[in-house]
Amino acid sequence: MKTIQQTFTVCSLGLLLAACGGSTTETPAPTGTKTLAKFGASTAPAQSAMHAPEEYRELLQRLYMVFFGRPADVDGLFYWQRIFSERSVPATLGELMQAYSADAGVKQLIDNFVDSSESQGLYTGNTAAFVNAVYRNTYNRNAEAEGLAFWSGFVARGELSRGQVALRILDGGQNDDAIVLAKKTQASINFTVALAKKEELAKRSYIGDSVNQAVRDLLGTVTATTDIAAFQAQIDAMIESFTYRPDSLPSIQRYSGFSYLQDMASTPSYSAYYRYFMGEFGFFTGSVIFAEVPRTVTWGLSAPSQTISYAAPITAAINFKVASVAPATTAALPDVAMLCQSVAGTPAILAKSTDILVANSAKAVLEASALANQSFTYYRENCALAGEGGVTPNVQSFVFDAAGNAVVKAQKGSATYSASVVTKALNGQVLLDVSTGKYLTLRVYRIVNPSGATGFVIVEHQGDALTGLKEGVLGMWTQQ
């Protein structure tokens, strides 16, 4: 009985257009085990024989899957097949992982995937969110607690890079995970084959975040019981949609997310995005996908108020924009969104600021000098301004002088931070709030609205501990 790998390697590059023997649902033998010994400890460069370009097809589809969450485009697959062949890169995942650690050339090739803007956009956030996202892109499920802690630990200790962890998770599928991975791989191959059969318009249309996310969502429906032959109809329909009916696909806007219980040194915590359709007369409808273990919440927006109404479990929200845009366009989505939910121990009348989302178009400010003469007089917490809805009225302003030194004014006094301390805080240093005894982190973003308006937002996070928070507070300072 041929395995999927054997079926691929007898196909020539030209047979990409002929689907190379059709679909298969056979599953490779489980290969994963949670020990580093399995991955090989040799530091000698891997010796790999020359492989024909088409022999890399399965491997490259799996690399696209784990780093981009989607099938390869036609030109990209051909390009990397040629490069891998010319450089005698190992054609199996196990050999590739060993070569990554021992061969600088192979490491550079794989890091091209890891460091790409597409991969970085998908994997914004802390290591736990990264590991969980890899599980979802590979096996269509969230990571179990044991696996999450296991793989996150290697990165935290500096023993493995994120790229190495992604490859090892990819190589570790067993039982249903192995079946799902095999079927997603075959579906990816079938997708690229089907795309290659189409005219140039279809090939050129497979680009952009909205299209890529739609195809990720399609692959995300594959299960251990999926009939891959029957799944081809959905693949064909998807290609038809983004080629001739792109308006039928939801648009995407990506955000970086903060959680009130995230570790204090982790900013931001996870990657998030709004998925939406724009209907007639400026009406929007869609969903927001957020949190370290992603959840999906639907919402609707109507012009001219541009007020977004969220479904449960979000009980309140503040959607902040540097400036209003009229008429309603895609710019109607918030620059910053504060999402509030009911939390055990919080008064029923007060929803907790559990998450803050900042659009990826915002630029992180890393130097205090960039905040010279900026003044922030609006503080929001628990989806209310200071002094409203149960939020303490103690805080009044966050003001920077011409040198970037900061003064936080409150009714009970003020706290001063030198420009050097502010710069360190903007680059990840945790501060101690002497007035509360809690730990504090600050993240500042510069936002340029499509209308040309410019402004700043400060995301403030307080916690009772550096890690494993039981109590956390998310707030944001704005200039309006």
Side-chain angles (χ1 to χ4, degrees):
M1 181 181 293
K2 287 185 177 180
T3 65
I4 293 176
Q5 176 66 32
Q6 290 170 326
T7 302
F8 297 155
T9 56
V10 298
C11 300
S12 69
L13 182 61
L15 288 180
L16 174 65
L17 302 181
C20 189
S23 299
T24 175
T25 58
E26 294 179 24
T27 305
T31 56
T33 175
K34 293 181 177 179
T35 64
L36 282 180
K38 170 191 179 297
F39 306 135
S42 172
T43 58
Q47 299 298 315
S48 179
M50 175 71 77
H51 293 277
E54 61 267 22
E55 294 182 63
Y56 292 98
R57 184 165 59 170
E58 177 185 351
L59 176 62
L60 283 166
Q61 287 286 9
R62 292 191 172 189
L63 293 181
Y64 266 76
M65 188 187 307
V66 74
F67 293 121
F68 305 143
R70 63 174 177 87
D73 53 286
V74 176
D75 290 343
L77 181 62
F78 283 175
Y79 172 81
W80 287 113
Q81 284 182 155
R82 177 177 62 81
I83 294 297
F84 274 42
S85 179
E86 290 176 351
R87 301 190 186 182
S88 297
V89 175
T92 66
L93 187 56
E95 292 175 317
L96 182 70
M97 289 190 297
Q98 292 188 41
Y100 181 93
S101 301
D103 187 318
V106 171
K107 182 180 184 300
Q108 183 179 27
L109 284 178
I110 301 305
D111 285 348
N112 284 329
F113 290 85
V114 177
D115 298 332
S116 69
S117 59
E118 182 176 354
S119 186
Q120 291 295 310
L122 287 177
Y123 292 128
T124 299
N126 62 30
T127 301
F130 165 77
V131 169
N132 194 67
V134 171
Y135 268 78
R136 291 174 67 90
N137 282 337
T138 305
Y139 303 124
N140 289 350
R141 67 173 178 87
N142 292 314
E144 71 284 358
E146 178 189 12
L148 195 66
F150 178 81
W151 293 115
S152 297
F154 284 116
V155 177
R157 296 188 297 270
E159 297 173 6
L160 294 174
S161 69
R162 285 191 173 190
Q164 288 172 303
V165 164
L167 293 177
R168 282 152 175 75
I169 292 173
L170 181 64
D171 190 48
Q174 302 182 58
N175 305 319
D176 279 359
D177 284 345
I179 297 173
V180 170
L181 176 59
K183 292 189 174 185
K184 286 188 70 173
T185 302
Q186 188 61 52
S188 295
I189 291 170
N190 292 352
F191 178 95
T192 309
V193 167
L195 191 62
K197 294 178 181 178
K198 302 292 184 179
E199 63 273 23
E200 284 302 312
L201 176 61
K203 298 172 190 175
R204 292 196 305 270
S205 297
Y206 183 34
I207 189 172
D209 202 8
S210 294
V211 170
N212 289 344
Q213 188 60 51
V215 179
R216 288 186 199 105
D217 292 342
L218 176 63
L219 274 188
T221 65
V222 173
T223 69
T225 61
T226 296
D227 183 334
I228 292 300
F231 193 72
Q232 187 64 41
Q234 297 183 58
I235 290 174
D236 294 338
M238 175 60 67
I239 294 174
E240 182 78 8
S241 293
F242 66 66
T243 304
Y244 300 109
R245 295 179 289 110
D247 290 345
S248 67
L249 301 178
S251 297
I252 298 293
Q253 185 163 313
R254 294 199 177 273
Y255 291 72
S256 297
F258 297 81
S259 167
Y260 79 111
L261 291 180
Q262 71 185 59
D263 287 348
M264 295 303 297
S266 299
T267 53
S269 176
Y270 56 83
S271 176
Y273 63 96
Y274 279 77
R275 179 171 50 202
Y276 62 94
F277 291 93
M278 184 173 71
E280 296 181 359
F281 311 111
F283 179 79
F284 280 69
T285 184
S287 56
V288 56
I289 293 84
F290 70 104
E292 286 187 12
V293 178
R295 63 174 60 185
T296 300
V297 175
T298 59
W299 55 266
L301 177 150
S302 60
S305 66
Q306 299 188 16
T307 299
I308 294 179
S309 299
Y310 295 89
I314 297 177
T315 57
I318 289 179
N319 295 287
F320 173 77
K321 293 193 66 61
V322 167
S324 298
V325 178
T329 65
T330 55
L333 291 177
D335 296 321
V336 183
M338 174 178 282
L339 306 179
C340 297
Q341 302 173 68
S342 297
V343 174
T346 301
I349 61 171
L350 185 64
K352 184 82 169 177
S353 300
T354 58
D355 296 83
I356 289 180
L357 311 182
V358 181
N360 284 358
S361 56
K363 304 299 181 185
V365 176
L366 301 178
E367 296 290 337
S369 58
L371 295 169
N373 299 316
Q374 298 296 324
S375 180
F376 300 79
T377 55
Y378 293 86
Y379 178 73
R380 293 171 170 88
E381 182 184 306
N382 298 340
C383 290
L385 284 170
E388 298 179 356
V391 177
T392 172
N394 185 46
V395 292
Q396 296 177 325
S397 64
F398 204 143
V399 179
F400 294 83
D401 66 16
N405 302 302
V407 177
V408 180
K409 296 181 180 180
Q411 289 183 349
K412 298 180 180 179
S414 63
T416 301
Y417 300 96
S418 69
S420 61
V421 169
V422 170
T423 295
K424 290 178 181 178
L426 297 180
N427 287 272
Q429 179 171 299
V430 179
L431 305 176
L432 180 63
D433 186 338
V434 294
S435 65
T436 64
K438 294 183 178 180
Y439 298 98
L440 175 70
T441 62
L442 302 173
R443 190 81 168 186
V444 180
Y445 291 92
R446 181 175 183 268
I447 298 169
V448 179
N449 193 275
S451 66
T454 301
F456 295 86
V457 173
I458 300 175
V459 177
E460 179 181 303
H461 181 215
Q462 291 188 22
D464 59 332
L466 292 174
T467 61
L469 278 64
K470 297 183 183 303
E471 178 185 351
V473 176
L474 275 179
M476 66 178 181
W477 289 92
T478 66
Q479 296 169 310
Q480 62 176 355

